[in-house]
Amino acid sequence: MKVFGRTTRSALSHAPDNWYAIDWRRVERNVRGMQIRIAKATREGDWRRVKALQRMLTRTLSAKLYAVRRVTQNQGARTAGVDRELWDSPESRWEAVGRLKRRGYKPLPLRRVFIPKANGKERPLGIPTMRDRAMQALYLLALEPVSESMSDLNSYGFRLNRSTADAMSQIRVCMSQEASAKWVLEADIKGCFDHISHDWLETNVPMDTGILRKWLKAGLIYQGQLRATEAGTPQGGIISPTLANVTLNGLERELAVHLGAKLGIMKARRLKVNVVRYADDFVITGDSKEILDQEVRPWVEAFLAVRGLQLSEEKTRITHIDDGFDFLGWNFRKYSGKMLIKPSKKNAKAFYSKVAETISSNKTVKQEEMIRLLNPMLRGWAQYHHPVTAKKAYTRMEHLVFRRLWWWSKRRHPRKSSSWVRQKYFHSIDARQWVFAVRTVRDDGSWGLMELYQLSGTAIRRHKKIQGEFNPFDPKWEQYGEQLRQTRLWDSMRYRKQWAKLYMSQSGLCAHCGCALTDETGWHDHHLEYRMHGGSDKLSNRVLLHPHCHQQVHVGKLVVTKPVLS
């Protein structure tokens, strides 16, 4: 058992009276307890109890506090809606909690913005106000246990502890063997988020229908004009991905039932029809082109039509595994019977364009700043592809980036020789030559080299797929979920060795509140003895805290101690 050091000021046992007096451990415990009860009632099919528990949860102070924290701690917290209001202070957050009431609630229109897509087009987003975001987060707490309990086994998008790597691993399971399915239906839904039927959502989504209808009909403001929303759930809202998942839930389960009823269970299994879905992108495998074209595709089209959706004719195709297909940034293809999964050419091209644009638009920055700009991009791309056959792609991308950086370096000194430029910007580290690096002062005062992230040095590690039956709101999966969360966060920290050591020494828990550190919550590196008071950067003087806990510690001048192992 691991006992965590607590702050010197004990958490208040009664209801808090300000933002910094909140006991977040108790808040999370209260919310999770209600969510577990909702999930249990869902599994038992007791829909009256589900509705009653959802209503109870959305009225609790704990759920409202949790919702406000979520929308003020994520990246979108600095983006305002049409009212231009931001909750950027503890006082405004505390005041916002009291405004999360169902009675008299009327959402404001969305603010329409467009962001660029990889293919050069633009993706429309609808930005709700902070209050509407918090209300969505509040009702999502009540909807998520239901949607998780009803989801298809191989649905991986926008779900807790599931990722694109899990979807990739499932395709490998379905298609890698000699006797596996050889054909795949690559499906693309035409404007999924923008065309979901409002009537279908109001009838089938298990949540407060009145609140849902208000969100769907709120409208949006674009170029100063109010426009009605007659269909769809706009991308940008916190609850939108879950609504899309609920809409497509049953695709895998009902297709299996349909084929079993029509052809018989044993014959249906021999057809090797498997659905792998990530949000609104999915593929369906099959043993023959005919079964996918004549049986599966018509059924899928009918399934989507009821929900107001349709397949894109130009992007939906049936492909043989020997010809390969792209899905989620990877290319799946068999070479002489052996399946290889590689970064897709489209994904690599889009990433290189992003890197090249970053280098070209920062011609005059210092080398140290250029490395700081590029390293997160390179590390993120490499880590995304580390579970697949990516060594050649890493080496190729490293060469392309090197050429860009050589051009960047030469351009800065047109009167200098190539050897002079090389000595200034490139170094030898161990057996590696031509390393883009710069001498800099470390935190301990010594000199060292800050180098560009080495793509080709990224280890290829096979991803361990999540179990399809896993339900984060079912107590029997508690231990499995805890191990899964720690393993995956450890993997994401692997190239930040000091954070990884702190994370493991704390068993993945915040040193202040004792709650889990996750990708969603984020974390801050806190010095026990402040550096301004002479504290060092040694691991013995540092702990990981949630961002809100870090703020709470500094404002309240609380003392955090190192976790004690016993």
Side-chain angles (χ1 to χ4, degrees):
M1 178 179 178
K2 302 183 187 299
V3 180
F4 273 75
R6 301 295 293 165
T7 54
T8 54
R9 183 183 299 176
S10 61
L12 299 179
S13 58
H14 54 78
D17 56 4
N18 66 77
W19 187 255
Y20 290 123
I22 299 169
D23 182 351
W24 289 110
R25 191 172 190 175
R26 173 169 295 184
V27 166
E28 290 195 18
R29 187 168 61 243
N30 292 344
V31 170
R32 178 158 178 79
M34 289 292 293
Q35 289 180 316
I36 289 173
R37 292 171 66 188
I38 292 171
K40 182 174 183 291
T42 302
R43 293 194 301 274
E44 294 172 352
D46 189 348
W47 294 106
R48 289 186 62 183
R49 183 161 179 76
V50 168
K51 189 174 181 179
L53 290 171
Q54 285 182 320
R55 184 168 58 248
M56 191 184 305
L57 175 59
T58 55
R59 294 179 179 180
T60 62
L61 176 61
S62 291
K64 293 178 181 180
L65 290 169
Y66 197 102
V68 171
R69 187 185 75 178
R70 176 170 181 176
V71 301
T72 55
Q73 295 290 339
N74 60 22
Q75 291 184 344
R78 296 187 294 272
T79 306
V82 293
D83 61 354
R84 299 296 175 182
E85 180 181 356
L86 291 175
W87 297 343
D88 51 5
S89 69
E91 293 75 20
S92 61
R93 294 169 192 165
W94 181 252
E95 181 186 355
V97 174
R99 296 168 56 193
L100 301 186
K101 297 178 180 178
R102 187 185 190 283
R103 184 184 296 274
Y105 170 66
K106 184 178 180 181
L108 292 176
L110 306 168
R111 181 165 71 91
R112 174 67 90 197
V113 298
F114 292 88
I115 60 173
K117 295 171 65 174
N119 59 8
K121 297 182 180 179
E122 291 186 319
R123 184 190 307 279
L125 292 184
I127 309 299
T129 64
M130 291 298 294
R131 186 191 180 198
D132 293 336
R133 269 178 259 177
M135 285 292 284
Q136 289 188 17
L138 176 62
Y139 280 85
L140 179 58
L141 291 174
L143 175 61
E144 208 164 29
V146 183
S147 67
E148 280 291 331
S149 301
M150 298 172 62
S151 289
D152 291 328
L153 297 182
N154 292 301
S155 165
Y156 298 100
F158 303 112
R159 294 181 61 193
L160 295 172
N161 295 307
R162 296 179 186 241
S163 66
T164 53
D166 290 310
M168 175 272 296
S169 298
Q170 179 61 21
I171 295 177
R172 177 186 277 139
V173 168
C174 295
M175 305 194 76
S176 61
Q177 301 301 316
E178 184 178 350
S180 297
K182 295 177 172 57
W183 293 87
V184 62
L185 171 65
E186 302 175 66
D188 184 270
I189 300 176
K190 190 175 181 179
C192 178
F193 283 86
D194 295 329
H195 295 101
I196 300 175
S197 167
H198 285 181
D199 290 338
W200 191 94
L201 287 172
E202 291 175 21
T203 304
N204 293 277
V205 176
M207 66 168 289
D208 189 317
T209 307
I211 292 291
L212 177 59
R213 184 183 299 114
K214 289 180 180 180
W215 288 334
L216 297 176
K217 302 298 183 183
L220 56 89
I221 291 181
Y222 180 59
Q223 295 181 340
Q225 294 184 340
L226 176 63
R227 303 185 181 185
T229 46
E230 300 298 336
T233 169
Q235 297 182 67
I238 288 177
I239 205 169
S240 294
T242 303
L243 293 180
N245 268 339
V246 172
T247 302
L248 296 176
N249 277 342
L251 181 65
E252 177 184 2
R253 183 174 57 252
E254 293 178 24
L255 176 58
V257 171
H258 165 75
L259 292 175
K262 186 170 182 178
L263 306 173
I265 295 177
M266 294 306 296
K267 186 175 181 180
R269 287 179 179 174
R270 288 196 293 269
L271 295 175
K272 300 168 187 173
V273 175
N274 299 284
V275 180
V276 181
R277 180 168 67 85
Y278 188 88
D280 59 331
D281 294 325
F282 62 93
V283 296
I284 304 178
T285 67
D287 201 40
S288 68
K289 184 176 182 179
E290 290 71 25
I291 190 66
L292 292 177
D293 191 32
Q294 298 171 16
E295 194 65 48
V296 173
R297 179 167 178 168
W299 184 90
V300 170
E301 290 174 340
F303 175 88
L304 296 176
V306 175
R307 294 153 174 77
L309 303 173
Q310 59 180 336
L311 294 176
S312 170
E313 290 293 334
E314 59 271 18
K315 295 183 181 179
T316 300
R317 61 182 68 89
I318 298 174
T319 310
H320 195 277
I321 188 61
D322 289 347
D323 297 324
F325 65 95
D326 290 350
F327 186 60
L328 301 176
W330 291 298
N331 178 260
F332 300 78
R333 185 178 175 183
K334 276 190 175 179
Y335 298 82
S336 302
K338 182 179 180 180
M339 186 173 186
L340 293 182
I341 307 172
K342 305 177 181 180
S344 70
K345 292 181 180 178
K346 181 179 177 182
N347 177 273
K349 183 178 180 180
F351 175 72
Y352 174 66
S353 296
K354 183 179 177 182
V355 171
E357 174 61 27
T358 300
I359 296 173
S360 297
S361 59
N362 290 278
K363 296 182 177 71
T364 60
V365 301
K366 294 182 178 179
Q367 185 181 11
E368 182 177 342
E369 180 61 24
M370 177 60 73
I371 294 174
R372 291 187 191 278
L373 287 171
L374 293 179
N375 273 358
M377 298 167 60
L378 297 172
R379 184 183 293 112
W381 188 76
Q383 288 185 2
Y384 182 81
H385 293 294
H386 84 259
V388 303
T389 309
K391 277 295 184 182
K392 286 186 178 179
Y394 288 159
T395 303
R396 171 64 176 164
M397 186 63 66
E398 202 164 62
H399 173 68
L400 293 174
V401 173
F402 164 77
R403 286 174 52 184
R404 276 282 172 172
L405 289 173
W406 177 248
W407 168 84
W408 178 85
S409 304
K410 288 273 290 181
R411 182 190 176 280
R412 293 162 72 90
H413 306 283
R415 299 179 184 275
K416 298 291 185 179
S417 66
S418 296
S419 59
W420 185 94
V421 172
R422 176 184 177 178
Q423 289 181 359
K424 178 172 177 61
Y425 292 101
F426 297 86
H427 299 263
S428 297
I429 300 178
D430 298 328
R432 295 162 55 210
Q433 307 293 323
W434 289 87
V435 179
F436 190 71
V438 61
R439 285 177 57 79
T440 185
V441 181
R442 296 194 181 103
D443 291 331
D444 60 3
S446 63
W447 283 88
L449 284 175
M450 174 190 286
E451 63 179 280
L452 192 72
Y453 179 80
Q454 184 188 7
L455 288 173
S456 59
T458 306
I460 302 298
R461 301 186 310 277
R462 181 68 65 89
H463 178 79
K464 186 176 180 180
K465 190 182 83 70
I466 193 172
Q467 293 188 34
E469 298 83 5
F470 171 67
N471 185 339
F473 301 105
D474 187 342
K476 76 176 183 181
W477 290 97
E478 185 76 29
Q479 186 175 0
Y480 174 82
E482 185 69 17
Q483 292 173 346
L484 184 72
R485 178 185 62 80
Q486 290 199 19
T487 300
R488 294 196 170 177
L489 201 56
W490 163 259
D491 285 341
S492 71
M493 288 182 172
R494 187 179 295 270
Y495 295 100
R496 301 168 176 84
K497 295 181 180 179
Q498 293 192 339
W499 280 358
K501 289 179 181 177
L502 289 174
Y503 178 81
M504 294 304 291
S505 72
Q506 297 175 204
S507 296
L509 304 178
C510 172
H512 172 58
C513 71
C515 295
L517 295 163
T518 67
D519 279 327
E520 183 180 338
T521 64
W523 58 84
H524 282 178
D525 194 342
H526 172 71
H527 289 73
L528 301 177
E529 182 180 359
Y530 296 170
R531 293 180 66 186
M532 66 175 61
H533 297 154
S536 72
D537 271 321
K538 293 181 179 179
L539 294 181
S540 59
N541 189 48
R542 292 156 58 191
V543 291
L544 297 180
L545 306 176
H546 290 127
H548 53 272
C549 288
H550 197 198
Q551 207 173 26
Q552 199 170 12
V553 166
H554 279 277
V555 172
K557 298 182 179 178
L558 308 179
V559 177
V560 181
T561 59
K562 283 290 265 189
V564 179
L565 306 181
S566 62

